[in-house]
């Protein structure tokens, strides 16, 4: 089932043509990986999917971006509401300077998802469990989110994103700032999340893409060069550039 | 005379500069590379000797009321001594650099000397004053009556008349009114400027705030006394409310206006230094800008904002001209902001500029100043603590 | 149990859309608070500048009155012109010009229309041109502050009022009685009537008090005292009744006083001050030469000075004299040169800011020498040479604390150390400059350190690699590169010092100093302190001068800040 669909998307940063004519279908309950050398536009494109680029005034986007066949750049769609449906996790963990509980409860509170404290408690617990961090923090929910280790902070941020009850989760190199053990935990978690969400992950690590994703898109200098099943892309790439990248000729 | 001698010493120093440089060249026998230091350094070394000894002697001689011209002799001897000492291996460069570094060090020491000077002069007079009131510090701090110079007999001050409570409460009231004005305006302005305003608007408002900050306090005092106080009195009159022409409200209002820019620019800096990643995190959860500001940015910036407010309080407490020109002079114990109250700074000015014998007035004045110094010092140290706490989290 | 997938659907619900509207409204509120805050600050600034600028306009001009004065050779000693009493000469001239002004009070008021300083200016003129002696010369006498303000309209003005009737006059000595053919004066009687009624009310209240007294004495059995009270009571009631009857009469006569508008007649060229008046008749005093005047009853004018004498500094007689002089074309308006060229004075029209400006100049010279030549080396030391040890940290904490110490404390430091301990001269720019220097020191050290820090280490490394010593690197490379930043910080620090008042008051620079200081050791005052002093003076004319002095001070500060900004722009460097 197609969750998000983009057609002929171009992105400009002032004079710079950052994304060129990208069309892609993102499937539900699937992990899609965007790979490519740094500066290829994969993060920029990811940020189009929840309109985070709106916060940058010189950024201009053309083309069609649909979610459940609804234009997310339509006038009637408010980016604030869109972002509640399309969650995002960043490269560097960025917990708010609040307690662990309040970090997770932030989204449900501002969106009014629950009416009472016990429901909120439940949402927080569920989200922390799904982010596989419940066991580590259940006795210290009132401690500051910044007191956790890097890997824990990132899982807290994932829990925070889940608590808002999104349909799509965008992850911008979520493990690049973490050590190998924490990375493994996050990858395991992403695999879990696939059963409930459509997950899009930007990564510079091809191994990671191979491990966690079912679909892979290869970006190069603003172009989306190739898109297909992950196994297909890694074993039998069509485009020469993809092959060069995968075999490590550049990167 | 002393100034003339100082000029002469400089001339002598310049003379020895050329003399020593010449001698260094002669010593080298034309082979400059044989010298450890280049001739200019030998000259410079002599120059330093002459000026240092000359200036030192000049200071000592004038204080001992000896003839300042004697310093010229000392300077000349120093010059001759330094130039006689020139050899090829003399490390003139290292030596003169040591002296210069020493001078730089001494300059940095002036800052410490200033603090020592302030503390010593305040403590000295305060000690004498406390001794004269029989160490009744309790009466000084908590006494309800302040009129130290009334009913003086042979310059003996009555401990029952030196209670600074009315002054502290007056200062607190005016500071409170000022903060009531400056806090919301300063903070909302800072939030708006850092989070919502376009670059163009910022380009207009920032200089406006700088102008507001650059206006001398005496001008604010004039504004308070000539424009604001009569306006408040007339407005009060319209509603049948009696507003004193030197009301705490007028002074507090104007001090409030005065510290708006310092609060807003400090808070602006603090808000701007909250990492963008926190804002992004909040936006990505579907928060509006306002929710992000209120629930993420402000809590994160809180220690810094608190420190900005403390510095604002410290400025309001130490403000002198506005209150001297627009607040009252009599020490009233009142909670009504429409009445005249007096402040610590007003009383210092009144004591020092008053007709009473300076040695009698100095005691209470310096004790008040010492109180003020301690008060602002505590506020500043607290503010620095908060800033450090803030920095520890984000830097 | 909560189903997260169900929660997801909430994002698309109508309830959520409604909630979003509320959230957006709350955002708008926050933004509008911000705009309100900025608008309020802007309004405060605008009000401040507007009130200062508006008030300062009055100090821009001054008035001169040209009068012929005979420099009587008998009264002035040619050998010793400076000692001659030119003030008396001026008074005599006025006396002979306006012979109808009689009585001590009126004479004094007449003399007060000309500045006390005019006599000195006349003396200086005659000293320079001794050949003027014995001649009659036309001299521009400087108008006093009262006359100047009157000409500027600060005290309201005498305005002609409409009238229709013919006037019949009968002159008796310097008094004139007049009868108009219609009730031309009726509209101007109301204030006098109100005054009478007010007085009657007061009398009745007094009568009530007497009545109380009578009753008390009666109860106490003291009939003698009671009778006294009764007489007093009746006298007051009778007086009140008489006043009420008078006020009620349509054709009664009233006497304008200090609390009512003044009424004048102008008969041709001659002014008459009305002393009693009814709806169509009255009497008045002729303010002019009775013998030589031509009373032109057919072209008469009714003039009303709306502001009652009690509300204005200028008296009726002064106003009439000034009007006379103005009609004769003797009054001229010019740029207020005294303000820019004189020292302080008790007389507003003679007071100027030059003395204070020169005092500020000397003070700033001392400040800059002190603050710059100690501050910059200190910054170099802390930034380039200091090791990270206890002393360095102490110095840093010290500097940060000093920057926040109230300025008045620095004044007390100066008072006890420079004046008390070192025995330096009170009120002198050198002490003031040193106090401000110490106060500015932390500002300059902090700015200079920031500027030095901004020089990238690559430049240091490059120079060190060429074998330069630490000191050479600092002096030859780092210092020149950071100089623009240091200068910017210095100018801003100087601007702050230039506007500083409180510490200078502490060291006695608030004294009344007329002379222009010749050097940093002379007694002097500075611009902000001058502003402080003038703001405290009761004369109204000082208000405009205070505001004008503020404008001058602000202009200097503006220029300094602009220089700093331009300097920063010009030398802004991105490494």
């Amino acid at each position: 089932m197609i969750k998000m669909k983009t057609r002929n998307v171009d992105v400009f940063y002032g004079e710079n043509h950052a994304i060129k004519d990208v069309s892609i279908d993102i499937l539900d309950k699937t992990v899609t990986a965007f790979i490519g050398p740094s500066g290829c536009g994969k993060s920029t494109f990811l940020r189009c999917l929840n309109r985070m680029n709106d916060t940058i005034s010189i950024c201009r986007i053309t083309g069609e971006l649909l979610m459940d066949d609804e234009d997310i750049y339509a006038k009637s769609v408010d980016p604030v509401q869109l972002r509640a449906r399309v969650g995002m996790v960043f490269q560097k963990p960025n917990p708010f300077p609040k307690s662990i509980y309040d970090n997770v409860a932030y989204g449900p509170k501002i969106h009014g998802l629950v009416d009472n404290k016990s429901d909120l408690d439940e949402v927080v617990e569920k989200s922390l469990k799904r982010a596989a961090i419940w066991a580590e923090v259940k006795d210290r929910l009132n401690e500051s989110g910044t007191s956790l280790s890097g890997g824990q902070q990132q899982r807290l941020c994932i829990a925070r994103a889940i608590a808002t009850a999104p349909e799509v989760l965008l992850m911008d190199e979520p493990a690049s700032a973490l050590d190998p053990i924490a990375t493994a935990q996050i990858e395991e978690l992403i695999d879990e999340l696939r059963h409930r969400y459509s997950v899009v992950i930007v990564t510079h690590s091809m191994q990671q893409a191979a491990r966690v994703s079912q679909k892979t898109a290869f970006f190069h200098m603003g172009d989306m060069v190739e898109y297909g099943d992950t196994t297909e892309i890694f074993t039998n790439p069509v485009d020469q550039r993809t092959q060069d990248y995968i075999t490590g000729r550049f990167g | 005379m002393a100034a003339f001698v100082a000029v002469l010493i400089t001339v002598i120093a310049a003379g020895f500069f050329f003399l020593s440089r010449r001698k260094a060249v002669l010593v080298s026998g034309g082979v400059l590379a044989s010298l450890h230091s280049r001739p200019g350094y030998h000259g410079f070394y002599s120059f330093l000797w002459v000026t240092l000894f000359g200036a030192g002697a000049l200071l000592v001689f004038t204080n001992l009321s000896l003839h300042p011209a004697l310093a010229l002799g000392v300077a000349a001897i120093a010059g001759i001594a330094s130039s006689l000492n020139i050899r090829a291996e003399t490390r003139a460069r290292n030596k003169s650099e040591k002296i210069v570094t020493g001078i730089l060090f001494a300059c940095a020491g002036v800052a410490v000397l200033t603090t020592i000077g302030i503390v010593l002069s305040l403590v000295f007079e305060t000690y004498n004053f406390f001794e004269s009131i029989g160490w009744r510090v309790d009466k000084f701090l908590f006494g309800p009556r302040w009129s130290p110079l009334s009913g003086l007999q042979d310059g003996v001050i009555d401990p029952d008349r030196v209670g600074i409570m009315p002054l502290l409460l007056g200062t607190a009231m005016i500071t409170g009114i000022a903060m009531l004005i400056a806090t919301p305006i300063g903070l909302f302005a800072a939030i708006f400027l850092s989070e919502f305003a376009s670059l163009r608007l910022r380009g207009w408002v920032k200089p406006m705030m700088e102008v507001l900050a650059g206006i001398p306090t005496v001008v604010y005092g004039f504004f308070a006394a000539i424009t604001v106080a009569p306006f408040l009195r007339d407005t009060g009159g319209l509603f049948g409310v009696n507003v004193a022409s030197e009301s705490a409200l007028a002074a507090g209002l104007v001090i409030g206006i005065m510290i708006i820019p310092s609060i807003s620019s400090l808070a602006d800096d603090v808000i701007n230094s909250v990492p963008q990643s926190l804002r992004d995190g909040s936006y990505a959860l579907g928060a509006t800008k306002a929710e992000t500001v209120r629930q993420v940015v402000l809590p994160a910036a809180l220690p810094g904002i608190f420190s900005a407010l403390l510095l604002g309080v410290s400025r309001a407490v130490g403000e002198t001209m506005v209150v001297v020109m627009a607040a009252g002079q009599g020490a009233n114990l009142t909670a009504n902001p429409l009445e005249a109250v007096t402040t610590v700074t007003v009383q210092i000015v009144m004591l020092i500029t008053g007709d009473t014998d300076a040695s009698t007035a100095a005691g209470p004045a310096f004790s008040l100043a010492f109180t003020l110094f301690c008060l602002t010092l505590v506020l500043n140290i607290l503010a620095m603590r908060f800033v450090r706490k803030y920095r520890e989290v984000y830097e | 149990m909560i189903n997260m997938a169900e929660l997801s659907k909430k994002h698309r619900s109508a309830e959520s859309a409604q909630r979003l509207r509320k959230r957006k409204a709350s955002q708008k509120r926050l933004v509008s608070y911000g705009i309100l805050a900025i608008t309020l600050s802007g309004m405060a600034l605008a009000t401040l500048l507007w009130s200062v600028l508006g008030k300062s306009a009055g100090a821009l001009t001054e008035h001169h009155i040209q009068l012929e004065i005979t420099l009587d050779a008998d009264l002035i000693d040619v050998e010793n012109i400076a000692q001659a009493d030119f003030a008396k000469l001026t008074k005599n001239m006025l006396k002979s010009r306006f012979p109808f002004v009689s009585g001590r009070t009126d004479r004094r008021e007449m003399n007060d229309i000309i500045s006390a300083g005019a006599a000195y200016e006349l003396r200086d003129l005659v000293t320079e041109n001794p050949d003027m002696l014995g001649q009659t010369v036309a001299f521009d006498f400087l108008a006093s502050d009262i006359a100047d303000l009157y000409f500027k309209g600060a005290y309201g003005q005498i305005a002609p009022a409409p009238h229709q009737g013919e006037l019949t006059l009968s002159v008796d000595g310097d008094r004139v009685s007049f009868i108009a053919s219609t009730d031309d004066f009726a509209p101007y009687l109301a204030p006098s009537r109100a005054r009478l009624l007010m007085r009657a009310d007061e009398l009745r209240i007094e009568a009530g008090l007497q009545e109380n007294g009578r009753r008390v004495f009666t109860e106490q059995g003291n009939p003698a005292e009671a009778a006294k009270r009764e007489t007093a009571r009746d006298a007051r009631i009778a007086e009140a009744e008489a006043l009420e009857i008078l006020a009620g009469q349509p054709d009664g006569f009233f006497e304008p006083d200090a609390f009512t508008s003044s009424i004048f007649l102008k008969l041709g060229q001659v002014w008459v001050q009305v002393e009693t008046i009814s709806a169509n008749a009255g009497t008045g005093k002729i303010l002019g030469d009775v013998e030589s005047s031509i009373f032109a009853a057919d072209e008469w004018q009714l003039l009303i000075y709306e502001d009652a004498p009690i509300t204005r500094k200028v008296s009726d007689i002064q106003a009439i004299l000034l009007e006379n002089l103005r009609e004769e074309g003797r009054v001229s308006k010019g740029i207020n040169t005294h303000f820019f060229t004189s020292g302080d004075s008790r007389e507003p029209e003679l007071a100027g800011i030059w003395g204070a400006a020169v005092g500020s100049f000397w003070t700033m010279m001392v400040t800059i020498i002190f603050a710059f030549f100690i501050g910059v080396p200190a910054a170099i030391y802390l930034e380039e040479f200091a090791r990270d040890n206890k002393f360095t940290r102490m110095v840093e904490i010290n500097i940060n604390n000093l920057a926040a110490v109230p300025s008045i404390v620095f004044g007390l430091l100066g008072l006890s150390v420079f004046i008390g301990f070192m025995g330096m001269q009170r009120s002198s720019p050198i002490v003031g400059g040193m106090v401000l220097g110490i106060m500015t020191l932390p500002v300059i050290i902090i700015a200079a350190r920031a500027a030095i820090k901004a020089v990238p280490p690559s430049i240091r490394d490059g120079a060190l690699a060429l074998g330069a010593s630490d000191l050479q690197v600092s002096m030859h490379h780092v210092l020149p590169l950071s100089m623009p930043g240091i200068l910017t910080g210095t100018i801003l620090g100087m601007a702050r010092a230039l506007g500083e008042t409180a510490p200078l008051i502490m060291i006695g620079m608030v004294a009344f100093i007329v002379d222009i200081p010749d050097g940093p050791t002379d007694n002097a005052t500075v611009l902000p302190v001058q502003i402080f002093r003038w703001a405290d003076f009761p004369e109204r004319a000082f208000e405009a001068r205070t505001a004008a002095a503020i404008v001058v001070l602000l202009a200097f500060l503006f220029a300094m800040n602009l220089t700093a900004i331009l300097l920063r722009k010009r030398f802004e460097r991105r490494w």
Side-chain angles (χ1 to χ4, degrees), chain A residues 227-245:
Chain A
Y227 175 56
D229 286 340
T230 302
T231 44
E232 210 44 32
I233 295 263
F234 277 88
T235 53
N236 196 10
V238 178
D239 194 283
Q240 185 62 37
R241 287 171 289 179
T242 318
Q243 194 170 6
D244 288 350
Y245 182 69

Side-chain angles (χ1 to χ4, degrees), chain B residues 41 97 105 115 121 286 291 294, chain C residues 23 26 381 398 416 469 472:
Chain B
Y41 276 101
E97 289 197 345
F105 174 82
T115 310
S121 58
E291 284 157 352
R294 264 200 296 260
Chain C
R23 291 165 63 197
S26 137
Y381 177 78
N398 241 308
S416 71
S469 69
Q472 284 170 324

Side-chain angles (χ1 to χ4, degrees), chain B residues 168-206:
Chain B
L168 289 181
L169 290 179
T171 307
M173 184 191 283
I174 288 179
T175 305
I177 295 170
M179 292 311 288
L180 230 50
I181 302 285
T183 306
I185 296 186
L187 289 188
F188 278 121
I191 290 169
F192 179 76
L193 284 180
S194 55
E195 299 286 327
F196 296 102
S198 63
L199 271 178
R200 243 188 76 188
L201 189 61
R202 244 181 108 87
W204 276 100
V205 176
K206 276 251 155 191

Side-chain angles (χ1 to χ4, degrees), chain A residues 19-31:
Chain A
I19 295 287
K20 298 164 191 157
D21 195 30
V22 172
S23 303
I24 192 170
D25 293 332
I26 290 160
L27 305 181
D28 203 8
K29 305 216 188 318
T30 307
V31 178

Side-chain angles (χ1 to χ4, degrees), chain C residues 41 69 203 206 469 530 533 547 563 569:
Chain C
S41 327
I69 185 162
L203 286 166
E206 283 173 28
S469 69
Q530 186 74 79
R533 274 177 56 82
T563 314
K569 277 243 167 81

Side-chain angles (χ1 to χ4, degrees), chain C residues 57 288 330 346 348 368 503 535-536:
Chain C
R330 295 178 175 278
R346 267 279 167 202
I368 199 164
D536 217 26

